[in-house]
Structure formats: structure tokens, C-alpha cells
Amino acid sequence: MLLDRRGWVWMIRGVVDPSASWEPRLGAAEARIAGLAAGLAEARSANEKLAATNERLRRVVADAAERHESELGVARAEADRARRRVAELELEVADLRRRVSMDSTNSSVPPSKEPIGAKEKRKAERRASSERVRSKDRKPGGQPGHPGAGLSREAEPDRSLSADPPTECSSCQADLSGAEVLAEGWAQVWDLLDPVCEKVEWVLPRRRCGCCWKVTAGSVPGVRHAGPGTVSYGPRLHAAAVLLASEGNVPVERAAMVIDALLGVPVSAGFVARAHERLAQDLQAAGFDEAMKAALRAEPVLCGDESPVNVLRKDLDEATGEPCAGSPHLLAVRTPAPGLVWYGAIGSRSSRAIDATGVLDGWAGCLTRDDYAGWHQYDAGLAGVQLCCQHLIRSLRAVLTLAPKIQKWAGRLIDLLREANRLVVAARATGHSRLDQQVLDRLRARYDADVRIGELTNMSRLWTDEKNHPGLVLARRLAAKADQVWLFCANFQVPWVNNAAEQAIRLPKRHQAVSGYWHTTTTLAAYLRVRSYLVSARDHGIRAIDAIRIALAGEPWLPVPRTPAPAT
């Protein structure tokens, strides 16, 4: 502790004045030093306590800061997880909205699977966007000048009859017995004769072979299935059964009821099923499938498509005895215009199953199809591939609906493809076989630019499960397969859409909607063979009933390959 001013004065006086006594002063100094030492010790103790307190405070502050930083880190991590979860949920919601909005206009969903509300909404939107305004004076139905489809008077009727003269006036009901006789009018009535089931017994001569002693009996002309000692229905009833079950998609039980009601012949449901099976077997024996494949391979342009079907029992694997893997499908390959249609039953949608049919073996024409990978195996050997533009438009529309303000490139590509088709239709009408190269180059330049915009727009855009955004996937596919998008502009024989194959598939699908399923792949193949035969024969001007009759007689109509035109 420092001395104050009075203490220093006393010390100086003691030193200067030698006569003064040292002892009191020394005692006072010692006391003073002792007091100073005690004060110093007390100050040191206080300082130590203060230092300890400060240390404790520092530790408390450090612990609080550490806890705060830890809690802040946890809060930040939770906030980051919440933001990531929100982003994931937004992507899931966008994906669910995309899935819910899928219909036949923006995906491969067939119209038959759409809810009624979706169809009615689309019709309402078309009516709202239509610029047509019906005149209030216009009556429903055919308008004046329309040719119509009514019956015309036959100049040479099969027979003529006279009606009784009228006995009373149709207006006032007066007696017409003495009324003036005018020129006769006329009316024609077209109707069927009453059906009659004719039961014919054929005498079948028999002969015994002198070499092997085998007995051979004669056969009924035109009815190959009528064996000795049997009673069977003829080709007309067979044709009726096949037409109802195959063409009309009527279940076999109801087909038997209809035949009984219309023709007065009480056939069984088993006969209806057997009639269809017998026709399929006769066509197989005549080599119809091979003839149809050969005729298709001689065509320059074909359309192909596949679709799943309901089969109750799958085929068994010969090695393991277990049901074969995969989902049964039907395969349709046909000409773009009505002419030839071939249906095949395949155990799965795999590339191997499609190739096993052999329908495209060695064929080198142009194929219009969708972008399913099972068809890619033929690309190297084909003259060209045309992707179905309707499928592409659906995919583009699906991307456009995700964010209309961001994915505008998809809308421009839809308009561009439709514009190209209009140019093709106009050029074909003037006798051209392809678009002018300069016009095609301008279309391709616009196409390439918008596809690149689609790639850049969606390059960093997130999607569910860390997958690429559908817009990026589509843009990259359009860029990689641009030549397969624009083939229809360079070769007018190639259709720009795959509607022909899709329409061919509707027939079996409608049958499935009525009957529910086929029992086995074998019964499916039999049904498809009959459908292929009847549709192709009708396209060649042969009535279905006549095609069935000649097939049952052992002489079915078979397609003949034509000389293929060179594909360009």
C-alpha cells in the first residue's frame, strides 16, 4: 500500500532530527508495515477471489456460447432438412399433378381408360375454344344438298305385289267405294326371307385300298369338318358364329342366343367357340401366318405397335415347368393404308419375344413406331424409322403442363410438328414426294433451337428421387433422335403418326373389354389369326362371310407379296 503525504513527512522528520527517539517511530513504522502487509494480503485474496470468479464466469460464458452454437447448428440442420423436405414435397406434388393430369392427349393412356369426367371436360374445352357458331335457323341432321345414305328404288324388283285399295279417306274418314280412281303409286320393301335350317344327309362312298386295306370315304364338298357318321352345322352357321364372336365381340353364350333368335337354330355356346377354333386351325393349316408375313415383308413402309392383354393362364416354361416370365402382349404389324394386318401373341414385351415372331426378319423398309426399346433392334437394318409424332406431341404436352410459363419450348415444338405435317399434306397434293430441302432445313433449324432451349431450361431443374427432370429427358431424346422425327418430311410414303397400328389394336382391346380375358396364349393366338384374316380380306374387297366360307372349304384367301417399291 503506498504512503500518504503525512506518512512521508514523519519519515523525513525522523531522519533529519537525530535527537528524536527511534523506538516509537520504529514501532509505528513496523505497525505501519504490518498494516500494509495485511492490506496487501487482503487485496491479493480479493484479487484471487475475483480472478476465480472471472474464470468461472468465463467458463459459464464459454459453455453458454458452445451450447448456443450447438443449438444453432441443430436448428440450422433442421432448417436445411425442412427446406430439402419442402423441395422434395414440391417435386412430389408436381409429379403427382403430372400423373393425375395424364390422359389420352398428353400420355399413352388409351381413351378407354379415361374417366368420364375427363372426356366431358375435354369436349367442353373444345366447344369453348371452337369458333364455329351454329345458326339458329339451321335444323339438326343432314343439310340440303347432302347425298345421304337412304335406299333408292330398284328398277327390277324380285317380285311385285298389289295392295288392297283404300276404303276410307285418310283426312275425313269418308267412304271411298265410289271415289275417283287415280294412277297407282308405289312402295318398295326390302327384307330377308324366313331362315330355314336345311338338314341334308350326304351319301359318302367308301373304298378299300388294295395295297394297305385302308378304308377311305368321300367328303362333303365345301365342308371339310363333316366326317363320316357325324352331324355338324354347315359353313353359314359357322360364319354366323364367327362373325358374332369375332367381328361383333359378342360373348359365346350370347352369340348362341342371338343365332337362335335370328335364325331359329338352337346352337350351343360350345359350338360358337368351336367354330372360331376350327377357322383358326384351318387358317394355320393353310399357312396364313407365313403368307401374311411374307406379304408384309414385301411392303416398303410398315407400322408396328404392341399392347398388353389379359391372359388367365400363362404358358409354362418347358425347362422349369413354371409360368413364363413377363406379361402377355399382342403385336400388330400392318401397312399404313388398309390392306394387310398381322396380329401376333407374345408372352412378354421383351425384344426377344418381338423378334421371335419373325415378322420383320430380313425386312429393310421404313417403320413407323413409338420409341419403345423393343423395336430398336431393327433400326440398323431398316431404311428409316419414323417416331410417332402423336406420341411426341403427348410427351411435349405433358412437359408443358408442368410449368406453362417456363416450358414454352415444348409448346413451340408442338406447333412446329403440326406445321410440318400441314406442309407435307399440301406438297403431297401437288404431286411431290418430299418437302423442298430449304423448307426442311428451316424447320430443322427451328427444331434444333427449341430442343436446345429445352435442355438448358431443365439442366439444373430438380426432380423426384434425384432423377432428371422430364423436360430434360425429353429434350435429350428429341436431340438424339432428330432424324427419326423428321423422316416423314423426306419420304411422303411414311406416315407421321402411328394411328394405323393403334387403330388395329383397338379391335382386340374392344373384345377384351367385353369378354375380360383369354384363357391361354394359344386361344389368344387363335383369335388374333382370325382377326388378321377377316380384316385383311375385307380390305381386299372380300365379305367376311365369304372369307369364312372359303376358309372352311380349305381354300382361304391368302395375301400375295407385291414387288416392293424402293424406299427412299
Side-chain angles (χ1 to χ4, degrees):
M1 181 180 293
L2 297 178
L3 298 177
D4 57 7
R5 180 178 180 184
R6 183 176 299 176
W8 282 106
V9 171
W10 281 106
M11 287 182 66
I12 294 173
R13 285 181 178 180
V15 176
V16 174
D17 188 3
S19 63
S21 179
W22 284 92
E23 292 179 358
R25 290 194 293 270
L26 181 60
E30 289 177 353
R32 187 64 176 171
I33 292 172
L36 292 174
L40 180 60
E42 183 180 354
R44 286 176 178 174
S45 176
N47 287 338
E48 290 176 357
K49 292 180 180 180
L50 182 59
T53 303
N54 289 340
E55 183 63 27
R56 288 196 300 272
L57 289 176
R58 289 191 188 97
R59 287 197 299 269
V60 170
V61 171
D63 292 343
E66 184 177 355
R67 288 195 302 271
H68 177 72
E69 188 64 28
S70 176
E71 292 174 357
L72 185 60
V74 173
R76 288 172 179 169
E78 291 179 353
D80 291 340
R81 287 194 296 269
R83 282 192 291 269
R84 288 195 298 271
R85 183 56 179 163
V86 169
E88 292 174 357
L89 292 175
E90 289 177 348
L91 293 177
E92 290 181 7
V93 170
D95 188 38
L96 290 174
R97 285 177 177 173
R98 180 180 67 90
R99 293 176 182 272
V100 170
S101 63
M102 281 184 175
D103 54 30
S104 59
T105 64
N106 57 18
S107 68
S108 58
V109 176
S112 59
K113 291 187 177 181
E114 288 184 335
I116 297 178
K119 297 179 182 179
E120 294 300 325
K121 179 180 178 181
R122 191 163 56 252
K123 290 180 180 179
E125 291 176 350
R126 283 201 299 264
R127 287 193 296 266
S129 61
S130 177
E131 297 180 355
R132 296 179 57 187
V133 178
R134 177 180 290 274
S135 173
K136 296 181 179 180
D137 299 331
R138 181 178 179 180
K139 298 180 179 180
Q143 304 303 307
H146 187 273
L151 301 178
S152 301
R153 183 182 183 183
E154 180 64 36
E156 297 180 1
D158 297 320
R159 57 177 178 155
S160 297
L161 298 175
S162 296
D164 295 332
T167 58
E168 65 177 20
C169 177
S170 59
S171 175
C172 63
Q173 288 76 45
D175 184 19
L176 297 180
S177 57
E180 179 184 3
V181 178
L182 303 177
E184 295 177 343
W186 63 272
Q188 287 190 355
V189 178
W190 297 5
D191 202 356
L192 297 173
L193 299 177
D194 293 335
V196 176
C197 181
E198 184 182 27
K199 303 177 179 64
V200 179
E201 181 169 304
W202 288 81
V203 177
L204 305 179
R206 302 194 305 164
R207 299 292 185 269
R208 186 188 301 276
C209 177
C211 298
C212 63
W213 297 88
K214 172 70 175 178
V215 176
T216 303
S219 59
V220 178
V223 189
R224 297 174 61 237
H225 58 273
T230 63
V231 179
S232 58
Y233 291 116
R236 290 185 178 85
L237 285 175
H238 274 76
V242 173
L243 285 176
L244 287 173
S246 181
E247 291 278 295
N249 297 317
V250 180
V252 291
E253 294 84 359
R254 292 190 179 184
M257 294 172 56
V258 172
I259 291 175
D260 186 14
L262 291 179
L263 305 180
V265 182
V267 300
S268 65
F271 162 73
V272 177
R274 179 58 183 156
H276 195 280
E277 180 183 358
R278 182 176 287 123
L279 177 58
Q281 291 174 348
D282 289 347
L283 292 174
Q284 184 178 18
F288 172 76
D289 286 330
E290 291 73 16
M292 178 60 71
K293 293 177 184 179
L296 287 172
R297 286 193 289 266
E299 295 291 327
V301 180
L302 294 176
C303 301
D305 200 4
E306 76 293 325
S307 182
V309 290
N310 298 332
V311 176
L312 188 61
R313 294 187 296 274
K314 295 183 179 180
D315 291 339
L316 300 180
D317 189 289
E318 296 180 357
T320 63
E322 297 294 328
C324 295
S327 175
H329 278 64
L330 69 88
L331 185 69
V333 178
R334 64 162 303 161
T335 53
L340 302 176
V341 180
W342 179 81
Y343 296 104
I346 54 179
S348 68
R349 201 187 180 197
S350 65
S351 302
R352 181 180 300 178
I354 295 176
D355 188 53
T357 61
V359 63
L360 296 180
D361 288 350
W363 183 65
C366 295
L367 179 64
T368 297
R369 57 167 176 79
D370 56 25
D371 203 18
Y372 174 59
W375 297 99
H376 296 175
Q377 58 186 319
Y378 301 109
D379 290 0
L382 297 179
V385 173
Q386 173 61 53
L387 294 180
C388 176
C389 289
Q390 188 59 49
H391 281 75
L392 298 179
I393 289 175
R394 292 171 189 164
S395 300
L396 289 166
R397 188 180 290 115
V399 172
L400 180 62
T401 55
L402 290 177
K405 295 182 179 180
I406 298 175
Q407 309 292 348
K408 294 181 179 180
W409 64 275
R412 290 194 298 269
L413 283 180
I414 293 175
D415 296 337
L416 179 62
L417 291 175
R418 289 173 174 169
E419 177 186 348
N421 180 57
R422 290 192 295 269
L423 293 174
V424 168
V425 172
R428 186 189 292 118
T430 58
H432 292 80
S433 60
R434 58 165 297 151
L435 274 185
D436 180 74
Q437 189 60 43
Q438 293 183 353
V439 176
L440 181 55
D441 290 342
R442 288 194 294 269
L443 293 173
R444 283 293 301 269
R446 292 165 56 189
Y447 173 86
D448 295 338
D450 279 326
V451 168
R452 183 56 181 164
I453 292 174
E455 290 183 291
L456 297 176
T457 301
N458 299 286
M459 188 74 70
S460 302
R461 198 170 296 277
L462 300 177
W463 197 245
T464 58
D465 299 331
E466 298 183 355
K467 296 179 179 179
N468 289 328
H469 191 276
L472 179 60
V473 176
L474 178 59
R476 286 177 173 174
R477 181 160 65 96
L478 294 176
K481 301 187 176 183
D483 292 339
Q484 296 182 357
V485 175
W486 293 97
L487 179 62
F488 74 100
C489 293
N491 183 357
F492 285 177
Q493 289 183 302
V494 179
W496 80 307
V497 292
N498 200 25
N499 286 352
E502 292 183 356
Q503 290 171 359
I505 285 180
R506 289 180 184 176
L507 299 174
K509 299 292 279 191
R510 176 52 53 191
H511 183 83
Q512 176 179 273
V514 174
S515 299
Y517 57 85
W518 287 270
H519 286 274
T520 63
T521 307
T522 302
T523 58
L524 171 63
Y527 169 83
L528 295 177
R529 184 179 301 117
V530 171
R531 291 301 308 141
S532 176
Y533 175 70
L534 295 179
V535 173
S536 300
R538 182 175 63 238
D539 290 343
H540 283 76
I542 303 175
R543 294 193 310 160
I545 192 169
D546 295 331
I548 297 171
R549 178 180 55 80
I550 60 178
L552 294 175
E555 299 178 354
W557 169 84
L558 296 178
V560 178
R562 70 170 184 173
T563 303
T568 57

